[in-house]
Amino acid sequence: MKKEKIIIGWAEESLTPDKKLSLRGQFYERVSQYVESELTVTAMALTAGEESVIFCSCDLTSVEKELVSGVKERLQGTDIPLDRIIISATHTHTSHTYRRERSEKAGGLGILKKYIPDDMVYKPAVDFEGVMDPCDAYVFLCERIALAAKRAWEQRRASSYACGFGRAAVGMCRRVCFNDGSARMWGDADNATFTELEGGNDSGIELLYTFDENKKLTGVVANVACPSQVLEHRSFVSSDYWGKVKDFVRKKLGEDVFVLGLCSAAGDQCPRDLIRWVQPDTPILDPNVERLHPRDRRADPSMFEIKGAVKAGKRIANEIIDVFEELGESCDECELIHSVTDLKLPLRRVTPEDCANAKKAITEFVRENKGKTVDYMDTAMMHVHAGTINRFEYQYDHDFETVELHCIRLGDVAFVTNPFELFLDYGNRIRARSLAKQTFIIQLANGSQGYLPTAKAEKGGHYSAYVSSGYVGSEGGELLVRECVDTVNGFFKE
């Protein structure tokens, strides 16, 4: 394939509104009290010859299909190739709750309303007065992301790039296995029934640096296998560790340098070491992270606090800076291939017995709590059961989930996307089998279709591996790996 000259443009827009936010993520309600660090969308537009790609990385929990459609609607009439836009989330839990269309398959809460009688009054845990309306948040995000994509496209100039590789210990497995065969997200490893962490971790950082015609650094692409969730329980607006990465990089390499943070396959990863467990310094409303007998450990700073986000950000930034100082020559032309596929994956199914047990659990909950006030934690407890019932009803006439995949060749490297919280093992399989010298994996891109667990996780159970935690199971995960590997390797075969 002929190499073509490269033109690259960058842009960054704020996603921080002037109102309080209902913070998405966790199973309890949170309203932002202040802004700890700015939320942003960073866009990089790259063209070589007739082919293009526009990456938009957003400090959001997820990127729903409706959000992607809303962004594209606002770019109608421009010369931007809309099917080449990739919008992904850093997966912070201290960002916007925005409008999402709730289809039949989406809602545990919709199911709960069918079972919970009117005399069980729901009481919000927080005051939502003055909070940005989710519909307004949707419009705000669509406009800002579209603006970033448009500005990056318009700013394209003759450029070059160079790739590098770094290592930083940021992401670690968050699923604990026990000797009865079960597993648990955030499980307590400090007891005799603990056997192992269910999966590994990936300390590798895929890096790409871009330069203008004068060889001045313009931006960095960094691919890290960890969601930005150090501060996931907190009640303030924050870009989490990615905001810290940008601060450190710009302080050293220039205030006008852009940073495109991409979350790799990390559905079972977190920024905390569950073996060397360090307690939160300040209280957290989450029974899953409570420890009966916490011990004093010499380890990381608490990865529930701002100082933990700073530490994670500094580790990544140090690698970005160190690799930059050792980079070889950049290239100003390359082969660029961009494939977009709508892949049908089998829906993860529920048995009649599972559905009956879920209905029984909700019925018992209603009987025990009839006439009482129901709060968000109560509905969270029932969420898994409601999701199971919902899936059983949905699968009556649905067999597949259609997911949007992007596979890209840029010179000797590849990029692949998926809309899942993809367990690390799937990313490892794609990277290991890829013919590219380097493979960037971007999860939670152009859709949000839940966790995609491994077969081992499905057997272990618990949150992230429940059938209600995602739409596709390990059978679909194997097909996803094969599709990505086959497409990428097809780019590199003579």
Side-chain angles (χ1 to χ4, degrees):
M1 181 181 176
K2 181 183 176 183
K3 292 184 178 180
E4 302 280 0
K5 290 290 185 179
I6 302 166
I7 58 173
I8 298 174
W10 286 91
E12 181 179 284
E13 293 293 332
S14 174
L15 297 181
T16 310
D18 57 3
K19 292 184 177 182
K20 291 182 178 181
L21 292 182
S22 172
L23 300 170
R24 190 169 170 211
Q26 308 310 119
F27 278 105
Y28 56 91
E29 298 158 311
R30 293 171 298 142
V31 166
S32 64
Q33 302 303 308
Y34 62 94
V35 176
E36 186 275 330
S37 55
E38 188 177 26
L39 305 173
T40 62
V41 49
T42 303
M44 181 184 77
L46 188 151
T47 298
E50 299 298 316
E51 191 55 274
S52 297
V53 58
I54 303 99
F55 296 101
C56 298
S57 172
C58 307
D59 290 322
L60 295 172
T61 307
S62 64
V63 174
E64 307 292 335
K65 290 180 180 179
E66 294 81 10
L67 185 64
V68 179
S69 297
V71 170
K72 290 182 177 180
E73 285 174 9
R74 286 158 177 79
L75 293 172
Q76 293 283 354
T78 68
D79 61 344
I80 297 174
L82 301 183
D83 63 339
R84 265 42 187 168
I85 297 174
I86 298 170
I87 307 174
S88 63
T90 60
H91 205 34
T92 175
H93 275 198
T94 43
S95 186
H96 290 264
T97 296
Y98 61 88
R99 188 199 80 205
R100 295 177 292 154
E101 294 179 11
R102 289 205 174 263
S103 63
E104 288 182 298
K105 67 181 179 183
L109 293 179
I111 291 291
L112 286 177
K113 289 179 180 178
K114 297 179 182 178
Y115 285 84
I116 296 180
D118 293 338
D119 61 350
M120 290 181 68
V121 180
Y122 175 72
K123 181 182 179 181
V126 294
D127 182 5
F128 284 96
E129 185 177 355
V131 172
M132 192 173 198
D133 182 82
C135 291
D136 293 338
Y138 170 81
V139 173
F140 173 80
L141 292 171
C142 288
E143 291 176 348
R144 290 301 181 109
I145 297 168
L147 178 59
K150 184 174 182 289
R151 288 186 57 229
W153 185 258
E154 293 171 346
Q155 291 296 322
R156 288 173 301 152
R157 302 289 187 271
S159 302
S160 60
Y161 76 93
C163 291
F165 178 78
R167 283 197 183 277
V170 179
M172 286 154 276
C173 185
R174 59 180 173 176
R175 287 179 53 86
V176 174
C177 296
F178 301 98
N179 58 13
D180 63 354
S182 68
R184 187 178 182 86
M185 183 187 282
W186 306 123
D188 189 351
D190 186 19
N191 66 74
T193 62
F194 164 65
T195 57
E196 61 189 336
L197 295 180
E198 186 179 81
N201 62 76
D202 181 8
S203 61
I205 307 177
E206 316 299 333
L207 294 168
L208 184 148
Y209 302 79
T210 67
F211 306 87
D212 65 15
E213 285 186 291
N214 298 316
K215 302 300 181 182
K216 180 179 182 294
L217 180 68
T218 54
V220 183
V221 180
N223 192 202
V224 177
C226 184
S228 55
Q229 291 179 2
V230 176
L231 304 170
E232 61 182 322
H233 300 86
R234 300 307 175 186
S235 294
F236 48 64
V237 169
S238 176
S239 52
D240 212 276
Y241 70 72
W242 277 115
K244 317 308 177 191
V245 172
K246 292 178 181 180
D247 291 342
F248 285 121
V249 167
R250 287 169 176 164
K251 185 175 181 179
K252 180 70 175 181
L253 301 181
E255 290 298 323
D256 55 351
V257 172
F258 295 91
V259 177
L260 186 79
L262 302 175
C263 187
S264 186
D268 54 347
Q269 303 293 294
C270 72
R272 303 180 190 103
D273 187 338
L274 271 64
I275 305 303
R276 302 175 185 86
W277 179 265
V278 177
Q279 284 284 96
D281 293 342
T282 50
I284 284 176
L285 182 62
D286 187 345
N288 290 306
V289 300
E290 291 179 0
R291 295 294 184 263
L292 293 176
H293 307 289
R295 299 179 181 181
D296 186 21
R297 302 291 190 188
R298 184 173 292 113
D300 291 325
S302 174
M303 286 293 170
F304 295 94
E305 314 292 343
I306 292 174
K307 62 185 178 182
V310 171
K311 174 64 78 174
K314 191 172 185 179
R315 286 172 176 165
I316 296 168
N318 284 345
E319 279 299 285
I320 290 173
I321 295 164
D322 187 53
V323 172
F324 172 72
E325 293 173 346
E326 300 174 352
L327 271 183
E329 287 295 312
S330 62
C331 56
D332 61 3
E333 59 180 19
C334 71
E335 306 93 339
L336 179 61
I337 310 172
H338 189 161
S339 169
V340 185
T341 304
D342 286 333
L343 180 65
K344 294 177 71 173
L345 297 176
L347 187 73
R348 189 175 173 193
R349 303 181 75 82
V350 169
T351 66
E353 182 182 7
D354 289 337
C355 183
N357 289 336
K359 289 181 179 179
K360 181 180 178 182
I362 295 177
T363 300
E364 290 178 352
F365 169 79
V366 169
R367 184 177 66 249
E368 293 171 2
N369 292 276
K370 192 171 184 180
K372 298 180 181 178
T373 297
V374 179
D375 62 21
Y376 197 81
M377 291 297 289
D378 291 323
T379 59
M381 288 174 58
M382 294 296 102
H383 179 82
V384 170
H385 303 305
T388 299
I389 298 167
N390 206 41
R391 180 63 48 78
F392 186 76
E393 294 177 357
Y394 182 74
Q395 70 192 27
Y396 179 80
D397 55 1
H398 293 81
D399 291 311
F400 299 97
E401 275 293 299
T402 300
V403 301
E404 180 180 323
L405 304 181
H406 292 248
C407 294
I408 299 156
R409 176 181 176 177
L410 177 66
D412 61 9
V413 307
F415 291 80
V416 298
T417 77
N418 68 83
F420 301 104
E421 290 187 61
L422 189 70
F423 273 41
L424 178 70
D425 284 354
Y426 295 117
N428 284 342
R429 293 173 204 173
I430 293 169
R431 275 205 179 95
R433 295 174 59 190
S434 170
L435 292 177
K437 280 192 175 181
Q438 193 171 14
T439 303
F440 293 71
I441 297 171
I442 311 171
Q443 70 167 18
L444 290 171
N446 286 29
S448 178
Q449 288 165 279
Y451 288 92
L452 206 170
T454 60
K456 182 178 182 180
E458 290 173 350
K459 291 178 182 177
H462 204 250
Y463 183 72
S464 76
Y466 288 135
V467 69
S468 55
S469 297
Y471 304 130
V472 176
S474 56
E475 180 185 2
E478 297 295 336
L479 294 175
L480 175 70
V481 169
R482 294 175 194 172
E483 177 70 21
C484 290
V485 170
D486 186 57
T487 302
V488 167
N489 289 352
F491 295 157
F492 289 91
K493 290 178 180 177
E494 296 295 334

